[in-house]
Amino acid sequence: MQDYHYYLSEVLITEDALQRRIAELGEQISRDYAGKGELVLVCILRGGVLFLTDLMRKVTIPHAIEFMAVSSYGVGGRESNGQVRITLDLNLDIFNKHVLLVEDIIDSGHTISAVIDFLATRRPASISVCVLLDKEERREVEVPIRYRGFTIPNKFVFGYGLDLDDYYRNLPFIGVVDLQKYQGSEQGSEGAIS
Ligand code: IMP
Ligand code: MG
């Protein structure tokens, strides 16, 4: 694997900007859910991990965390469609609890919509979405987003949880992938969307 600099065409969101925005989201969430009952932050693996761990430190009211994983058929793991499979389910019962889904990025919207439908059958008190990056212009299905970090242009990005062929999730910033250099596996095999 190359050093990340090879694939980086530009830094889209700096570490500082991410952390400042996440602090704001944490404050907002803490205010909105205060005194409302039990709150569970549900992280969608693996992309949402860095966002969750930073966000939860800024949520000052009591809450639990949980993890889910999904996979989706797409082109080399870069695009999802309607067929979303749950590959890791929650351990916790969410009946009557407030669920806040913590997701790295919403693109077409298929992944998060499938997760919402799946969890809604368990009759939580509410389900809301907190997404770090919103690729709004790519949306194919409507998604109710309650908390949004940033709206971004239609560019393939990596870092801060988002991967390029499973690597570089550890970068503390969001970078734009140089598609000239990144040839990826575009054979249309099943790609794990995470
Ligand atoms: P959606 O179902 O099309 O909304 O896709 C959401 C999932 O696609 C995200 O959870 C990511 O795993 C993946 N994804 C979408 N755009 C990007 C990107 O620019 N970089 C890395 N992963 C992405
Ligand atoms: Mg994801």
Side-chain angles (χ1 to χ4, degrees), residues 11-25 28 51 54-55 103-107 129-137 139 145-155 157 159-160 162 172-175:
V11 173
L12 188 65
I13 308 172
T14 64
E15 178 173 8
D16 253 31
L18 283 172
Q19 295 301 330
R20 265 185 280 120
R21 184 71 187 121
I22 291 167
E24 288 172 0
L25 292 172
Q28 219 179 319
F51 184 33
D54 283 335
L55 181 68
E103 176 63 312
D104 52 356
I105 188 165
I106 298 179
D107 190 54
V129 174
C130 176
V131 68
L132 183 64
L133 307 174
D134 183 7
K135 258 193 213 175
E136 212 172 25
E137 62 191 86
R139 200 62 31 84
I145 298 176
R146 184 164 183 193
Y147 305 97
R148 175 189 288 101
F150 302 86
T151 299
I152 64 164
N154 181 18
K155 292 180 173 174
V157 293
Y160 200 73
L162 294 133
F173 56 83
I174 299 288

Side-chain angles (χ1 to χ4, degrees), residues 46-161:
R46 288 160 284 179
V49 158
L50 273 72
F51 184 33
L52 173 83
T53 56
D54 283 335
L55 181 68
M56 66 188 287
R57 282 179 270 201
K58 303 294 181 187
V59 175
T60 53
I61 58 170
H63 64 276
I65 61 166
E66 263 290 339
F67 296 90
M68 275 185 75
V70 299
S71 86
S72 174
Y73 288 82
V75 183
R78 285 172 46 198
E79 276 175 32
S80 67
N81 57 26
Q83 301 160 267
V84 176
R85 269 191 304 128
I86 308 295
T87 56
L88 177 74
D89 198 350
L90 305 176
N91 277 315
L92 201 78
D93 182 11
I94 55 168
F95 177 70
N96 256 346
K97 295 175 185 167
H98 293 285
V99 172
L100 184 58
L101 291 171
V102 176
E103 176 63 312
D104 52 356
I105 188 165
I106 298 179
D107 190 54
S108 69
H110 289 298
T111 306
I112 198 82
S113 310
V115 169
I116 292 171
D117 291 348
F118 177 75
L119 294 180
T121 63
R122 297 179 186 171
R123 295 187 294 139
S126 67
I127 304 184
S128 297
V129 174
C130 176
V131 68
L132 183 64
L133 307 174
D134 183 7
K135 258 193 213 175
E136 212 172 25
E137 62 191 86
R138 296 258 307 166
R139 200 62 31 84
E140 290 171 16
V141 288
E142 209 184 309
V143 178
I145 298 176
R146 184 164 183 193
Y147 305 97
R148 175 189 288 101
F150 302 86
T151 299
I152 64 164
N154 181 18
K155 292 180 173 174
F156 196 64
V157 293
F158 72 134
Y160 200 73

Side-chain angles (χ1 to χ4, degrees), residues 159-171:
Y160 200 73
L162 294 133
D163 70 303
L164 196 55
D165 287 346
D166 291 322
Y167 278 74
Y168 315 121
R169 294 187 196 271
N170 59 308
L171 303 178

